[in-house]
Amino acid sequence: MAQITKDTLIGEILNLDASTAPFFLEMGMHCLGCPASRGESLAEACMVHGVDPDVLVEKLNAHLADK
């Protein structure tokens, strides 16, 4: 399974596993279908939404590892 980093694009994460969408919705990122948001890195999205990127990276990787 691919390892998510702060530099991974939102679109890549969603394409890898659509079940990651709720993690982004929880942080207030409700525009997941927007081409601009899908081109943002995880770090960029976290900065805009006031979320610690390291925490989200850890949550996403744990979620993907459980699959």
Side-chain angles (χ1 to χ4, degrees):
M1 181 59 63
Q3 189 75 4
I4 305 299
T5 71
K6 291 187 276 190
D7 296 323
T8 307
L9 298 181
I10 302 298
E12 292 174 348
I13 297 168
L14 293 170
N15 289 343
L16 177 66
D17 190 330
S19 72
T20 58
F23 292 94
F24 298 106
L25 295 173
E26 285 175 9
M27 69 183 231
M29 188 173 184
H30 299 283
C31 54
L32 295 178
C34 171
S37 70
R38 292 182 64 90
E40 286 183 328
S41 71
L42 188 67
E44 292 168 329
C46 286
M47 180 181 63
V48 169
H49 293 280
V51 173
D52 182 340
D54 294 318
V55 171
L56 187 54
V57 165
E58 187 175 320
K59 285 181 182 180
L60 289 168
N61 282 318
H63 172 75
L64 294 173
D66 285 344
K67 295 204 139 245

